[in-house]
Amino acid sequence: MVNLVTGGAGFLGSHLCDRLLERGQEVICLDNFFTGRRSNVVHLLGNPKFELIRHDVVDPFKLEVDRIYNLACPASPVHYQYNPIKTAKTSAMGAINCLGLAKRVGARILQASTSEVYGDPEVHPQPEEYRGNVNPIGLRACYDEGKRYAETLFFDYHRENKVDIRVVRIFNTFGPRMLADDGRVVSNFIVQALKGEDLTVYGDGSQTRSFCYVDDLLEGMIGVMEQEKTVGPVNLGNPNEFTIKELAQRVLEKVGSSSKLIENPLPADDPTQRKPDISLAKEILDWTPKVELEEGLDRTIPHFRALLES
Ligand code: NAD
Ligand code: UDP
């Protein structure tokens, strides 16, 4: 089995490459290194079943593969808003190029979609049937609408060209190999706590998120790829919900830091709540996250400590 992982040098992508190789499969990792790093996959470079290609998914490519995991897209607001037009192109043209390849070679293809397709949700928790509340002209739209359009393309290629698709909607996931300057809340808080800096809570910190540990997420993602019951979309995330202030407190306790919390302005269109309804994933995969926030932090903090020390 030959897998193509676009965005394979990023946080989730590099862990996915590890997992697929552990299963004895071949992996082609394709990445333009915008937010990905060679260091995330350097340990795989000597593996004869692993291949690394520097390429941008916006430009077409030809490969012979059995499975395509389409993860290429910056995921943190800081990075996806850096060049919003490029972000929209990456989602749209990346999906078109990957789907075209899947159609040509008969590969099964999975899209890494996101809870952001639900926008600032009025339904809580969010089931897959909920159609979302996204501002189409806001600062987050390049990402949210880009991912929504990619889902549209996936389902049209499925209906029109019988492409064998899978779509997962990923909720906030964290773990080792997130970038220290990624801007996402878990990495920001850990790095700030380790440096003894104030923790930057945006708004009053009453907004909620549900945090999934990377190992759980990948088990679900590969599970969805390999099951035959549904093409999706399937929500993947940890349904345990925390306010951002609660997260900050947990990080301070775990790091053993006496840093203070300071309130920064809330970014525009920041969703007020988010929690996945994972009934479908439970039903089709018997999947449920095993690593809770505290244990996930215990596994993630040493990564950032080592990063800062080096
Ligand atoms: P990440 O930024 O670490 O990884 C994205 C990877 O895609 C990077 O390696 C980057 O260099 C690469 N990339 C970006 N644009 C590209 C392009 N045009 N061509 C080729 N490669 C490109 O982010 P991540 O957290 O690992 O997210 C991976 C995927 O999962 C993304 O599609 C993201 O939208 C999705 N997702 C992640 C989360 C999460 O909480 N981590 C939540 C929802 C969805
Ligand atoms: N956030 C925060 N401080 C930070 C970074 C983020 O309070 O230093 C908040 C952010 O406003 C949002 C939540 O944490 O409400 C999650 O942000 P993240 O960027 O990690 O993910 P997303 O908003 O895409 O869920």
Side-chain angles (χ1 to χ4, degrees):
M1 174 93 74
V2 182
N3 298 272
L4 168 64
V5 180
T6 75
F11 160 50
L12 293 181
S14 61
H15 286 283
L16 177 60
C17 292
D18 287 346
R19 288 299 181 88
L20 295 170
L21 288 163
E22 278 159 22
R23 291 173 174 230
Q25 300 177 10
E26 291 182 45
V27 173
I28 302 173
C29 165
L30 183 149
D31 204 294
N32 72 350
F33 299 115
F34 175 45
T35 51
R37 297 287 174 267
R38 275 174 69 88
S39 57
N40 286 341
V41 290
V42 72
H43 60 289
L44 303 176
L45 291 178
N47 187 327
K49 292 191 170 175
F50 180 76
E51 212 175 322
L52 178 61
I53 301 174
R54 180 192 286 262
H55 187 83
D56 196 307
V57 287
V58 164
D59 301 318
F61 45 92
K62 285 187 180 159
L63 292 164
E64 288 292 328
V65 294
D66 307 296
R67 296 279 187 266
I68 303 170
Y69 288 86
N70 185 32
L71 273 65
C73 186
S76 123
V78 174
H79 290 125
Y80 70 64
Q81 289 170 19
Y82 172 73
N83 184 345
I85 296 168
K86 176 68 195 229
T87 300
K89 280 186 184 171
T90 294
S91 272
M93 293 159 75
I96 289 170
N97 286 329
C98 288
L99 284 160
L101 177 67
K103 183 181 159 192
R104 272 197 308 279
V105 301
R108 179 175 291 181
I109 177 167
L110 178 142
Q111 169 67 359
S113 191
T114 168
S115 55
E116 293 284 330
V117 300
Y118 302 122
D120 190 3
E122 292 147 322
V123 171
H124 196 71
Q126 295 81 53
E128 289 84 356
E129 297 74 37
Y130 178 50
R131 292 184 185 177
N133 176 34
V134 173
N135 174 2
I137 58 169
L139 292 177
R140 296 173 82 100
C142 60
Y143 182 75
D144 302 3
E145 296 289 12
K147 288 284 184 177
R148 286 170 69 96
Y149 182 51
E151 286 199 15
T152 306
L153 286 164
F154 266 68
F155 278 83
D156 281 335
Y157 269 78
H158 178 59
R159 281 186 290 257
E160 295 294 309
N161 299 122
K162 308 280 172 274
V163 173
D164 190 12
I165 64 160
R166 301 289 183 271
V167 176
V168 294
R169 291 182 179 155
I170 304 168
F171 286 65
N172 296 64
T173 300
F174 71 102
R177 298 191 195 151
M178 292 179 91
L179 294 175
D181 62 353
D182 195 59
R184 282 183 273 191
V185 68
V186 177
S187 44
N188 266 12
F189 284 177
I190 294 176
V191 170
Q192 289 162 346
L194 286 169
K195 287 182 170 174
E197 296 171 356
D198 293 337
L199 269 57
T200 52
V201 173
Y202 299 165
D204 64 5
S206 62
Q207 69 272 36
T208 68
R209 294 293 187 274
S210 309
F211 300 100
C212 187
Y213 188 67
V214 58
D215 289 358
D216 284 331
L217 192 279
L218 289 176
E219 196 192 313
M221 187 189 280
I222 297 171
V224 171
M225 178 64 116
E226 296 306 335
Q227 56 75 43
E228 309 294 333
K229 292 177 185 157
T230 180
V231 296
V234 180
N235 285 341
L236 293 177
N238 190 318
N240 277 344
E241 189 182 9
F242 296 88
T243 66
I244 294 305
K245 235 179 185 163
E246 282 169 347
L247 173 71
Q249 296 296 356
R250 302 281 168 108
V251 170
L252 289 179
E253 283 159 28
K254 286 285 172 194
V255 172
S257 161
S258 53
S259 292
K260 309 241 168 331
L261 308 190
I262 52 158
E263 285 189 17
N264 280 13
L266 189 68
D269 295 329
D270 199 276
T272 49
Q273 54 182 358
R274 196 181 286 146
K275 167 183 165 132
D277 177 335
I278 56 166
S279 318
L280 179 60
K282 273 186 184 155
E283 181 194 321
I284 61 166
L285 301 175
D286 197 19
W287 175 86
T288 184
K290 296 182 190 76
V291 182
E292 291 310 338
L293 179 63
E294 305 241 332
E295 193 187 338
L297 289 175
D298 284 338
R299 295 193 198 179
T300 308
I301 290 166
H303 156 80
F304 284 105
R305 192 166 270 141
L307 207 67
L308 294 181
E309 277 165 11
S310 70

